[in-house]
mmCIF file of all heavy atoms in Angstrom:
data_model
loop_
_atom_site.group_PDB
_atom_site.id
_atom_site.type_symbol
_atom_site.label_atom_id
_atom_site.label_comp_id
_atom_site.label_asym_id
_atom_site.label_seq_id
_atom_site.Cartn_x
_atom_site.Cartn_y
_atom_site.Cartn_z
ATOM 1 N N ILE A 1 5.977 -1.769 -4.721
ATOM 2 C CA ILE A 1 4.940 -1.013 -4.290
ATOM 3 C C ILE A 1 4.056 -0.687 -5.482
ATOM 4 O O ILE A 1 2.817 -0.703 -5.389
ATOM 5 C CB ILE A 1 5.448 0.343 -3.723
ATOM 6 C CG1 ILE A 1 6.240 0.064 -2.416
ATOM 7 C CG2 ILE A 1 4.277 1.374 -3.481
ATOM 8 C CD1 ILE A 1 6.942 1.304 -1.803
ATOM 9 N N LEU A 2 4.573 -0.487 -6.637
ATOM 10 C CA LEU A 2 3.801 -0.201 -7.801
ATOM 11 C C LEU A 2 2.881 -1.345 -8.219
ATOM 12 O O LEU A 2 1.719 -1.133 -8.561
ATOM 13 C CB LEU A 2 4.725 0.090 -9.015
ATOM 14 C CG LEU A 2 4.089 0.433 -10.425
ATOM 15 C CD1 LEU A 2 3.202 1.662 -10.233
ATOM 16 C CD2 LEU A 2 5.105 0.740 -11.400
ATOM 17 N N LYS A 3 3.389 -2.582 -8.134
ATOM 18 C CA LYS A 3 2.547 -3.649 -8.425
ATOM 19 C C LYS A 3 1.440 -3.856 -7.541
ATOM 20 O O LYS A 3 0.229 -4.152 -7.899
ATOM 21 C CB LYS A 3 3.346 -5.039 -8.406
ATOM 22 C CG LYS A 3 4.421 -5.169 -9.538
ATOM 23 C CD LYS A 3 5.259 -6.430 -9.296
ATOM 24 C CE LYS A 3 6.273 -6.473 -10.439
ATOM 25 N NZ LYS A 3 7.067 -7.754 -10.306
ATOM 26 N N SER A 4 1.632 -3.558 -6.225
ATOM 27 C CA SER A 4 0.500 -3.612 -5.190
ATOM 28 C C SER A 4 -0.522 -2.543 -5.478
ATOM 29 O O SER A 4 -1.730 -2.731 -5.399
ATOM 30 C CB SER A 4 1.039 -3.437 -3.866
ATOM 31 O OG SER A 4 1.950 -4.525 -3.550
ATOM 32 N N VAL A 5 -0.070 -1.330 -5.717
ATOM 33 C CA VAL A 5 -0.945 -0.182 -5.955
ATOM 34 C C VAL A 5 -1.793 -0.387 -7.290
ATOM 35 O O VAL A 5 -2.992 -0.056 -7.365
ATOM 36 C CB VAL A 5 -0.127 1.180 -6.099
ATOM 37 C CG1 VAL A 5 -1.027 2.306 -6.646
ATOM 38 C CG2 VAL A 5 0.505 1.450 -4.815
ATOM 39 N N ASP A 6 -1.264 -0.929 -8.253
ATOM 40 C CA ASP A 6 -1.893 -1.272 -9.531
ATOM 41 C C ASP A 6 -3.112 -2.200 -9.398
ATOM 42 O O ASP A 6 -4.084 -2.115 -10.067
ATOM 43 C CB ASP A 6 -0.858 -1.873 -10.567
ATOM 44 C CG ASP A 6 -1.542 -2.039 -11.978
ATOM 45 O OD1 ASP A 6 -2.151 -1.088 -12.481
ATOM 46 O OD2 ASP A 6 -1.270 -3.130 -12.467
ATOM 47 N N LYS A 7 -3.015 -2.994 -8.335
ATOM 48 C CA LYS A 7 -4.143 -3.977 -8.120
ATOM 49 C C LYS A 7 -5.298 -3.312 -7.354
ATOM 50 O O LYS A 7 -6.423 -3.917 -7.328
ATOM 51 C CB LYS A 7 -3.608 -5.152 -7.356
ATOM 52 C CG LYS A 7 -2.573 -5.994 -8.069
ATOM 53 C CD LYS A 7 -2.070 -7.161 -7.217
ATOM 54 C CE LYS A 7 -0.907 -7.891 -7.983
ATOM 55 N NZ LYS A 7 -0.480 -9.030 -7.110
ATOM 56 N N ILE A 8 -5.101 -2.160 -6.775
ATOM 57 C CA ILE A 8 -6.186 -1.557 -5.901
ATOM 58 C C ILE A 8 -7.301 -1.114 -6.653
ATOM 59 O O ILE A 8 -8.409 -1.159 -6.329
ATOM 60 C CB ILE A 8 -5.492 -0.535 -5.018
ATOM 61 C CG1 ILE A 8 -4.478 -1.167 -4.090
ATOM 62 C CG2 ILE A 8 -6.587 0.227 -4.223
ATOM 63 C CD1 ILE A 8 -3.785 -0.138 -3.200
ATOM 64 N N GLY A 9 -6.942 -0.409 -7.866
ATOM 65 C CA GLY A 9 -8.056 0.094 -8.702
ATOM 66 C C GLY A 9 -8.103 1.540 -8.692
ATOM 67 O O GLY A 9 -9.223 2.131 -8.751
ATOM 68 N N PHE A 10 -6.993 2.292 -8.563
ATOM 69 C CA PHE A 10 -7.017 3.735 -8.674
ATOM 70 C C PHE A 10 -7.287 4.209 -10.218
ATOM 71 O O PHE A 10 -7.058 3.385 -11.067
ATOM 72 C CB PHE A 10 -5.663 4.287 -8.238
ATOM 73 C CG PHE A 10 -5.257 4.215 -6.791
ATOM 74 C CD1 PHE A 10 -4.714 3.247 -6.144
ATOM 75 C CD2 PHE A 10 -5.803 5.342 -6.029
ATOM 76 C CE1 PHE A 10 -4.533 3.174 -4.889
ATOM 77 C CE2 PHE A 10 -5.526 5.381 -4.640
ATOM 78 C CZ PHE A 10 -5.002 4.230 -4.044
ATOM 79 N N ASP A 11 -7.839 5.342 -10.293
ATOM 80 C CA ASP A 11 -8.041 5.903 -11.657
ATOM 81 C C ASP A 11 -6.736 6.295 -12.289
ATOM 82 O O ASP A 11 -6.576 6.072 -13.576
ATOM 83 C CB ASP A 11 -8.953 7.167 -11.545
ATOM 84 C CG ASP A 11 -10.313 6.732 -11.096
ATOM 85 O OD1 ASP A 11 -10.835 5.805 -11.647
ATOM 86 O OD2 ASP A 11 -10.884 7.589 -10.315
ATOM 87 N N THR A 12 -5.738 6.907 -11.557
ATOM 88 C CA THR A 12 -4.473 7.251 -12.110
ATOM 89 C C THR A 12 -3.390 7.005 -11.031
ATOM 90 O O THR A 12 -3.654 7.178 -9.867
ATOM 91 C CB THR A 12 -4.519 8.791 -12.451
ATOM 92 O OG1 THR A 12 -5.723 9.117 -13.221
ATOM 93 C CG2 THR A 12 -3.277 9.168 -13.185
ATOM 94 N N ILE A 13 -2.198 6.773 -11.550
ATOM 95 C CA ILE A 13 -1.006 6.717 -10.681
ATOM 96 C C ILE A 13 0.034 7.761 -11.174
ATOM 97 O O ILE A 13 0.247 7.870 -12.351
ATOM 98 C CB ILE A 13 -0.341 5.319 -10.773
ATOM 99 C CG1 ILE A 13 -1.297 4.167 -10.097
ATOM 100 C CG2 ILE A 13 0.913 5.261 -9.984
ATOM 101 C CD1 ILE A 13 -0.816 2.786 -10.265
ATOM 102 N N ILE A 14 0.507 8.509 -10.224
ATOM 103 C CA ILE A 14 1.583 9.477 -10.490
ATOM 104 C C ILE A 14 2.831 9.003 -9.832
ATOM 105 O O ILE A 14 2.845 8.724 -8.621
ATOM 106 C CB ILE A 14 1.190 10.852 -9.976
ATOM 107 C CG1 ILE A 14 -0.114 11.428 -10.751
ATOM 108 C CG2 ILE A 14 2.378 11.927 -10.216
ATOM 109 C CD1 ILE A 14 -0.521 12.752 -10.210
ATOM 110 N N ILE A 15 3.925 8.906 -10.603
ATOM 111 C CA ILE A 15 5.288 8.674 -10.050
ATOM 112 C C ILE A 15 6.038 9.932 -10.137
ATOM 113 O O ILE A 15 6.299 10.386 -11.280
ATOM 114 C CB ILE A 15 5.951 7.537 -10.764
ATOM 115 C CG1 ILE A 15 5.122 6.171 -10.760
ATOM 116 C CG2 ILE A 15 7.409 7.320 -10.278
ATOM 117 C CD1 ILE A 15 5.799 5.095 -11.527
ATOM 118 N N ALA A 16 6.406 10.557 -9.024
ATOM 119 C CA ALA A 16 7.007 11.873 -9.012
ATOM 120 C C ALA A 16 8.379 11.823 -8.269
ATOM 121 O O ALA A 16 8.513 11.154 -7.275
ATOM 122 C CB ALA A 16 6.106 12.830 -8.387
ATOM 123 N N ARG A 17 9.328 12.644 -8.785
ATOM 124 C CA ARG A 17 10.591 12.759 -8.059
ATOM 125 C C ARG A 17 11.190 14.133 -8.568
ATOM 126 O O ARG A 17 11.024 14.476 -9.733
ATOM 127 C CB ARG A 17 11.631 11.663 -8.410
ATOM 128 C CG ARG A 17 12.894 11.696 -7.671
ATOM 129 C CD ARG A 17 14.109 11.127 -8.403
ATOM 130 N NE ARG A 17 15.228 11.017 -7.515
ATOM 131 C CZ ARG A 17 16.098 12.009 -7.204
ATOM 132 N NH1 ARG A 17 15.791 13.201 -7.581
ATOM 133 N NH2 ARG A 17 17.086 11.792 -6.418
ATOM 134 N N GLY A 18 11.922 14.796 -7.612
ATOM 135 C CA GLY A 18 12.510 15.969 -7.944
ATOM 136 C C GLY A 18 13.750 15.860 -8.893
ATOM 137 O O GLY A 18 14.158 14.671 -9.223
ATOM 138 N N GLY A 19 14.400 16.809 -9.270
ATOM 139 C CA GLY A 19 15.559 16.771 -10.100
ATOM 140 C C GLY A 19 16.754 16.228 -9.543
ATOM 141 O O GLY A 19 16.802 16.053 -8.285
ATOM 142 N N GLY A 20 17.794 15.857 -10.257
ATOM 143 C CA GLY A 20 19.033 15.307 -9.791
ATOM 144 C C GLY A 20 19.964 14.957 -10.879
ATOM 145 O O GLY A 20 19.673 15.095 -12.040
ATOM 146 N N SER A 21 21.138 14.473 -10.680
ATOM 147 C CA SER A 21 22.109 13.982 -11.510
ATOM 148 C C SER A 21 21.655 12.731 -12.110
ATOM 149 O O SER A 21 20.676 12.057 -11.743
ATOM 150 C CB SER A 21 23.500 13.865 -10.891
ATOM 151 O OG SER A 21 23.421 12.793 -9.959
ATOM 152 N N ILE A 22 22.407 12.336 -13.212
ATOM 153 C CA ILE A 22 22.014 11.077 -13.833
ATOM 154 C C ILE A 22 22.075 9.868 -12.909
ATOM 155 O O ILE A 22 21.223 8.972 -13.058
ATOM 156 C CB ILE A 22 22.870 10.927 -15.175
ATOM 157 C CG1 ILE A 22 22.285 9.642 -15.893
ATOM 158 C CG2 ILE A 22 24.342 10.734 -14.855
ATOM 159 C CD1 ILE A 22 22.990 9.546 -17.314
ATOM 160 N N GLU A 23 23.101 9.874 -12.056
ATOM 161 C CA GLU A 23 23.166 8.801 -11.129
ATOM 162 C C GLU A 23 22.030 8.864 -9.997
ATOM 163 O O GLU A 23 21.616 7.755 -9.551
ATOM 164 C CB GLU A 23 24.540 8.697 -10.428
ATOM 165 C CG GLU A 23 24.843 9.994 -9.746
ATOM 166 C CD GLU A 23 25.617 10.993 -10.454
ATOM 167 O OE1 GLU A 23 25.513 10.983 -11.743
ATOM 168 O OE2 GLU A 23 26.253 11.898 -9.920
ATOM 169 N N ASP A 24 21.672 10.020 -9.747
ATOM 170 C CA ASP A 24 20.530 10.170 -8.713
ATOM 171 C C ASP A 24 19.236 9.651 -9.366
ATOM 172 O O ASP A 24 18.405 9.075 -8.603
ATOM 173 C CB ASP A 24 20.347 11.550 -8.254
ATOM 174 C CG ASP A 24 21.452 12.143 -7.520
ATOM 175 O OD1 ASP A 24 22.168 11.271 -6.803
ATOM 176 O OD2 ASP A 24 21.666 13.303 -7.414
ATOM 177 N N LEU A 25 19.014 9.752 -10.604
ATOM 178 C CA LEU A 25 17.793 9.334 -11.240
ATOM 179 C C LEU A 25 17.939 7.977 -11.901
ATOM 180 O O LEU A 25 16.984 7.501 -12.592
ATOM 181 C CB LEU A 25 17.485 10.338 -12.466
ATOM 182 C CG LEU A 25 17.161 11.795 -12.053
ATOM 183 C CD1 LEU A 25 16.929 12.643 -13.170
ATOM 184 C CD2 LEU A 25 16.088 11.914 -11.050
ATOM 185 N N TRP A 26 19.039 7.309 -11.743
ATOM 186 C CA TRP A 26 19.350 6.052 -12.476
ATOM 187 C C TRP A 26 18.267 5.003 -12.105
ATOM 188 O O TRP A 26 18.070 4.172 -12.966
ATOM 189 C CB TRP A 26 20.742 5.519 -12.179
ATOM 190 C CG TRP A 26 21.083 4.383 -13.105
ATOM 191 C CD1 TRP A 26 21.082 3.166 -12.843
ATOM 192 C CD2 TRP A 26 21.256 4.604 -14.504
ATOM 193 N NE1 TRP A 26 21.403 2.403 -13.909
ATOM 194 C CE2 TRP A 26 21.467 3.235 -14.976
ATOM 195 C CE3 TRP A 26 21.301 5.668 -15.401
ATOM 196 C CZ2 TRP A 26 21.730 3.115 -16.337
ATOM 197 C CZ3 TRP A 26 21.567 5.386 -16.731
ATOM 198 C CH2 TRP A 26 21.774 4.116 -17.208
ATOM 199 N N ASN A 27 17.745 4.882 -10.855
ATOM 200 C CA ASN A 27 16.749 3.914 -10.652
ATOM 201 C C ASN A 27 15.575 3.866 -11.597
ATOM 202 O O ASN A 27 14.955 2.873 -11.950
ATOM 203 C CB ASN A 27 16.287 4.024 -9.214
ATOM 204 C CG ASN A 27 17.192 3.414 -8.236
ATOM 205 O OD1 ASN A 27 17.320 2.256 -8.101
ATOM 206 N ND2 ASN A 27 18.003 4.399 -7.606
ATOM 207 N N PHE A 28 15.234 5.077 -12.233
ATOM 208 C CA PHE A 28 14.199 5.124 -13.132
ATOM 209 C C PHE A 28 14.700 4.914 -14.540
ATOM 210 O O PHE A 28 13.929 5.087 -15.456
ATOM 211 C CB PHE A 28 13.623 6.620 -13.049
ATOM 212 C CG PHE A 28 12.945 6.868 -11.677
ATOM 213 C CD1 PHE A 28 13.660 7.560 -10.710
ATOM 214 C CD2 PHE A 28 11.722 6.462 -11.363
ATOM 215 C CE1 PHE A 28 13.206 7.748 -9.474
ATOM 216 C CE2 PHE A 28 11.243 6.644 -10.089
ATOM 217 C CZ PHE A 28 11.923 7.379 -9.158
ATOM 218 N N ASN A 29 15.953 4.423 -14.698
ATOM 219 C CA ASN A 29 16.448 3.955 -16.034
ATOM 220 C C ASN A 29 16.649 2.470 -16.055
ATOM 221 O O ASN A 29 17.213 1.945 -16.889
ATOM 222 C CB ASN A 29 17.718 4.690 -16.314
ATOM 223 C CG ASN A 29 17.586 6.103 -16.669
ATOM 224 O OD1 ASN A 29 16.549 6.509 -17.225
ATOM 225 N ND2 ASN A 29 18.445 6.991 -16.189
ATOM 226 N N GLU A 30 16.203 1.803 -14.975
ATOM 227 C CA GLU A 30 16.389 0.337 -14.846
ATOM 228 C C GLU A 30 15.344 -0.350 -15.771
ATOM 229 O O GLU A 30 14.117 0.060 -15.780
ATOM 230 C CB GLU A 30 16.229 -0.100 -13.387
ATOM 231 C CG GLU A 30 17.278 0.301 -12.465
ATOM 232 C CD GLU A 30 18.666 -0.365 -12.756
ATOM 233 O OE1 GLU A 30 18.630 -1.386 -13.537
ATOM 234 O OE2 GLU A 30 19.681 0.060 -12.225
#
């Protein structure tokens, strides 16, 4: 999804997620 959105031409992209354990957030450590 991020690669597709990057090609559209937005001024800014926000990636947001609520809190969680280290395993819950692990996808953002890949």
Side-chain angles (χ1 to χ4, degrees):
I1 296 174
L2 180 58
K3 289 178 180 178
S4 299
V5 172
D6 184 47
K7 297 176 182 178
I8 295 176
F10 285 93
D11 294 317
T12 309
I13 296 175
I14 296 176
I15 302 177
R17 188 210 188 280
S21 63
I22 186 171
E23 59 270 20
D24 291 337
L25 300 177
W26 189 254
N27 280 283
F28 298 96
N29 290 321
E30 292 289 348

